[in-house]
Amino acid sequence: MATVVADISADANKMDSKPKAESEFSVQKLVDMFTKLNPLAKEFFPSSYSPNHDQTRQGYNLLTPNNFLVNTKPSANDNNPNNRRRRNNFTQGRRRLNGRSLKAQREDSVRRTVYVSDIDQHVTEERLAALFTNCGQVIDCRICGDPHSVLRFAFVEFSDEHGARAALNLGGTVLGYYPVRVLPSKTAILPVNPTFLPRSDDEREMCTRTVYCTNIDKKISQAEVKNFFESACGEVTRLRLLGDQVHSTRIAFVEFAIADSAIVALNCSGMLLGTQPIRVSPSKTPVRPRVTRPVSR
């Protein structure tokens, strides 16, 4: 290797004393000789290089025999602790950003929501929402509690904070037989999955015939739930009983043949079904028929 470098130096010295034509020939010869050099020879490595370390850890740009620069620095895909740490920090930062965004949205929803208490048992969500229409646009209204009790309460959400502030002035308004109390809400309304909401007039009509039943004893079967409501209210056309291993009770969506049966079913709230008193409220979602998927072969 040292001999080749010495020959190159000698040829370079001769070029200065030769005519231009011969110099161009010598330059071409010089290029040919450079292409034959071995870039992995020890003369091409800096003195700081230690043969005990892997080249990929030094981060050098090496010249290959084909004159291509090769960057031996570890890429983002390498299993390097520093790279893993950077990726983890980026992921955690993105999660923190998403968490802040969700928190900001939740706080904004709370500011746009009022808490209404002492609601008469005969007051529906539609009637309660109509009370606040002059305050602003009502985008959601949820009545909670036992339908037979005057201690029912509700959450009413507006499209902006101005509507919620105006609604506070309606505290003391008699709705049904009792004056309602209106206070700023400390919680937001849990949104309903939009894919479950009615998508057509037919499904909205189905909601008028459907009730949402909670606190169902886990030992009660679907047939027993159906028999309970059919004996007390009327013909049940569709029923969906749901539960999991986490909660101690189950829920059900019960669709009746006529809307009057669903209204009667609301009076079943508080009645025992098995060992638990059930809670019944109007359903915001229809009971869609199950889609049978073709069996893959």
Side-chain angles (χ1 to χ4, degrees):
M1 185 68 195
T3 305
V4 176
V5 175
D7 292 341
I8 293 173
S9 301
D11 289 340
N13 292 330
K14 293 178 182 178
M15 282 170 49
D16 296 336
S17 60
K18 290 185 178 181
K20 184 176 181 181
E22 292 186 12
S23 298
E24 292 178 354
F25 174 78
S26 299
V27 169
Q28 183 60 44
K29 183 178 178 182
L30 192 62
V31 171
D32 293 339
M33 295 180 68
F34 269 122
T35 58
K36 298 177 182 179
L37 296 178
N38 179 13
L40 300 180
K42 63 180 181 179
E43 289 86 352
F44 286 84
F45 285 91
S47 58
S48 60
Y49 173 77
S50 174
N52 296 327
H53 291 79
D54 188 3
Q55 292 178 3
T56 59
R57 299 185 62 182
Q58 299 300 317
Y60 298 131
N61 288 332
L62 299 181
L63 187 68
T64 65
N66 294 326
N67 297 330
F68 290 106
L69 285 174
V70 177
N71 185 5
T72 61
K73 291 183 179 180
S75 65
N77 295 325
D78 291 340
N79 191 19
N80 186 286
N82 293 332
N83 291 330
R84 289 201 303 271
R85 191 178 300 112
R86 281 194 292 269
R87 287 196 296 270
N88 291 338
N89 290 340
F90 173 76
T91 303
Q92 292 172 3
R94 185 167 55 185
R95 287 175 181 170
R96 284 195 295 269
L97 183 61
N98 292 339
R100 292 193 197 102
S101 177
L102 291 174
K103 183 179 179 181
Q105 292 177 5
R106 191 161 51 246
E107 291 175 350
D108 175 67
S109 180
V110 170
R111 288 192 295 268
R112 293 185 286 104
T113 304
V114 295
Y115 170 77
V116 186
S117 62
D118 297 345
I119 301 173
D120 188 286
Q121 61 180 349
H122 300 292
V123 174
T124 62
E125 290 181 343
E126 291 76 11
R127 186 177 174 187
L128 180 62
L131 174 66
F132 297 102
T133 52
N134 292 330
C135 301
Q137 182 183 0
V138 177
I139 61 176
D140 203 351
C141 177
R142 305 279 180 89
I143 293 181
C144 311
D146 188 344
H148 298 289
S149 174
V150 296
L151 299 179
R152 288 199 304 166
F153 59 94
F155 296 93
V156 181
E157 182 179 349
F158 295 86
S159 59
D160 54 43
E161 295 181 41
H162 300 289
R165 284 196 291 266
L168 299 177
N169 297 323
L170 295 182
T173 303
V174 176
L175 190 62
Y177 295 100
Y178 301 94
V180 296
R181 297 176 60 205
V182 185
L183 300 171
S185 178
K186 295 181 179 180
T187 60
I189 297 177
L190 184 66
V192 177
N193 189 330
T195 60
F196 297 151
L197 294 176
R199 303 169 186 168
S200 63
D201 291 338
D202 289 340
E203 289 194 342
R204 278 185 279 274
E205 189 274 333
M206 288 167 61
C207 287
T208 64
R209 297 185 283 108
T210 305
V211 295
Y212 172 63
C213 183
T214 62
N215 203 43
I216 301 174
D217 192 330
K218 272 197 168 183
K219 297 179 181 179
I220 298 299
S221 66
Q222 182 163 316
E224 289 174 310
V225 175
K226 183 177 181 181
N227 291 335
F228 172 84
F229 281 106
E230 283 193 329
S231 61
C233 311
E235 180 185 357
V236 174
T237 55
R238 194 175 289 125
L239 187 147
R240 190 71 47 79
L241 183 62
L242 305 171
D244 54 34
Q245 301 299 323
V246 178
H247 298 87
S248 59
T249 59
R250 305 172 78 180
I251 64 172
F253 294 88
V254 185
E255 179 188 308
F256 294 92
I258 57 176
D260 290 340
S261 297
I263 296 174
V264 174
L266 298 177
N267 297 322
C268 294
S269 190
M271 297 178 62
L272 286 178
L273 179 56
T275 60
Q276 300 285 345
I278 60 173
R279 291 190 290 269
V280 186
S281 59
S283 176
K284 295 180 181 294
T285 61
V287 183
R288 297 190 179 100
R290 294 186 184 274
V291 178
T292 56
R293 298 179 180 178
V295 179
S296 56
R297 297 180 180 177

